[in-house]
Amino acid sequence: MTSRLRTTPFSILDRSRTRQGRERSQALRDTVRFAQRAEALGYHRFWVSEHHSVPGVAGSAPTVLASAVAAATVRIRVGTGGVMLPNHRPLVVAEQFGVLESLFPGRIDMGLGRSVGFTDGIRRALGAEKDAARDFGAQLDELLGWFTGEQSAHPQVHAHPAEGLRPPVFVLATGAGADLAARAGLSLVIGDPRGRDEMLRAIDRYRAGFRPSAWSSAPYVVVSGNVAVADTTEEARRLLLPEAWAMAHSRTHGVFPPLAPASEIETREMTEKERGFYERGLRGQLYGTEDEVAAALDELIERSDADEVLVTTSTYDREALLDSYRRLARVAGLSGDAAPGVRGVAGAPAPR
């Protein structure tokens, strides 16, 4: 294990994935318990996501779920990966994070994305247009202005209790996200769905264009993606099959389904189109034994000069998933307590 890998923070994004044969509500309770395990293992952050009308994802209200996670943990940072700003009024987002930061001071991260609803029907229900992401820069400026008190779009209106607070802000890099994060002086979260080289170019562009701000004095890059660790390379690869099939199904049928067992997917007859998306979903993923994953992570961190790694792995078998995260914690040299504590809200001890 290299010194760079040992000193890089590792964090988790959990999408509250639903599973065949289980209630959707169970996925949300599993997320809270997962956060407690992550804290015990020494992970730095635990984030939740926003998806609407997606059968395979239970997390539709990220700030509500983040509050439950923060209340059930003690030290780990809690946030969103992310709140999709085009779906919301910036004032409401500021108020929600102001409440979270007030209840759990020093532990809340505000991760923001540009995505809109998956279909026209979902977008209409959310009150967002298909091209709403084009206004993300203006929405971001307004949102930050509610915290600084400098927004001018709505004179004499204030976001309480957000005004004056400074929760860390992260921009999820989709499309022009890296450039917007640089212009606003915010931290960047980026993966490599279109290829490692394209991701590295976006990171270089972000660092070159970064302008220091009240939120961050220097660029901060979080590299995100799936990481699966097991006894053997093949076992680790099998952990990724449920998510790869769900993605292939969504691309060919327009619906993102609950996760299915790997054994079912291995025997499934796929069309040529489904097989193409499925194989592409597995390509470029980071998986293997502890030694193999350590070497791959070391290369990723060195090439990207990442400040942090955000792991986004989901699979059907929750015990195997938790074992993968335990192994990854060992690979990364994380140190945590034997068991997580329980945190209250107002009046709770300050995070350590």
Side-chain angles (χ1 to χ4, degrees):
M1 184 187 302
T2 67
S3 58
R4 184 66 187 272
L5 178 57
R6 188 182 297 273
T7 59
T8 299
F10 275 70
S11 300
I12 295 173
L13 167 63
D14 184 52
R15 294 188 174 89
S16 302
R17 295 289 274 111
T18 60
R19 290 165 172 79
Q20 282 186 10
R22 302 178 191 176
E23 295 182 357
R24 293 174 184 171
S25 58
Q26 182 64 46
L28 298 173
R29 295 190 290 270
D30 286 342
T31 289
V32 175
R33 283 192 285 269
F34 185 19
Q36 292 174 319
R37 297 279 191 94
E39 179 173 72
L41 290 169
Y43 283 93
H44 184 49
R45 310 179 200 272
F46 190 93
W47 284 2
V48 297
S49 63
E50 175 183 340
H51 296 273
H52 299 281
S53 191
V54 177
V57 182
S60 56
T63 54
V64 177
L65 185 53
S67 181
V69 168
T73 53
V74 178
R75 295 174 301 280
I76 195 168
R77 297 197 62 87
V78 177
T80 55
V83 165
M84 298 301 144
L85 198 50
N87 296 335
H88 309 279
R89 298 296 300 176
L91 170 62
V92 175
V93 176
E95 290 173 336
Q96 290 172 344
F97 278 94
V99 170
L100 282 170
E101 177 64 20
S102 297
L103 294 175
F104 308 101
R107 294 181 60 210
I108 299 300
D109 299 324
M110 185 164 62
L112 306 167
R114 302 171 65 240
S115 297
V116 294
F118 190 59
T119 66
D120 288 339
I122 297 171
R123 289 189 287 270
R124 284 195 297 270
L126 291 168
E129 301 295 333
K130 189 173 184 177
D131 59 357
R134 293 188 306 184
D135 299 326
F136 181 76
Q139 294 171 325
L140 182 61
D141 289 342
E142 181 184 335
L143 174 61
L144 300 180
W146 289 114
F147 285 90
T148 63
E150 297 171 344
Q151 71 80 28
S152 57
H154 306 281
Q156 299 182 329
V157 181
H158 299 269
H160 299 307
E163 191 170 307
L165 299 179
R166 292 289 189 280
V169 184
F170 299 77
V171 173
L172 279 62
T174 56
D179 301 311
L180 290 169
R183 178 184 63 80
L186 304 175
S187 299
L188 175 71
V189 181
I190 187 167
D192 59 353
R194 296 180 182 174
R196 179 70 56 83
D197 290 340
E198 184 171 337
M199 180 191 75
L200 295 175
R201 286 193 295 270
I203 290 173
D204 288 342
R205 196 169 65 247
Y206 162 74
R207 289 197 174 105
F210 184 87
R211 299 192 301 198
S213 69
W215 303 90
S216 183
S217 60
Y220 191 88
V221 174
V222 182
V223 172
S224 68
N226 293 331
V227 181
V229 195
D231 265 336
T232 67
T233 306
E234 184 55 35
E235 286 176 17
R237 183 180 184 275
R238 290 186 84 244
L239 290 176
L240 302 175
L241 302 188
E243 190 72 42
W245 166 248
M247 183 62 69
H249 188 276
S250 72
R251 294 291 180 86
T252 53
H253 298 274
V255 177
F256 200 81
L259 294 173
S263 57
E264 177 181 317
I265 295 164
E266 288 172 320
T267 58
R268 182 183 296 273
E269 292 187 7
M270 301 183 191
T271 66
E272 183 177 349
K273 189 174 183 180
E274 288 172 339
R275 177 66 63 179
F277 281 115
Y278 174 69
E279 294 294 343
R280 280 196 290 275
L282 291 170
R283 205 171 298 144
Q285 305 291 0
L286 205 159
Y287 63 88
T289 64
E290 293 183 29
D291 287 343
E292 290 169 337
V293 167
L297 283 172
D298 187 48
E299 180 187 6
L300 172 63
I301 293 168
E302 287 296 329
R303 288 193 65 192
S304 64
D305 196 24
D307 297 289
E308 186 174 332
V309 176
L310 179 69
V311 185
T312 61
T313 314
S314 296
T315 195
Y316 179 85
D317 187 335
R318 286 200 60 81
E319 285 305 313
L321 179 66
L322 292 171
D323 180 65
S324 176
Y325 276 103
R326 281 192 290 267
R327 292 172 182 272
L328 177 59
R330 189 158 57 230
V331 166
L334 307 185
S335 59
D337 297 332
V342 178
R343 179 193 172 98
V345 286
R352 291 177 285 175

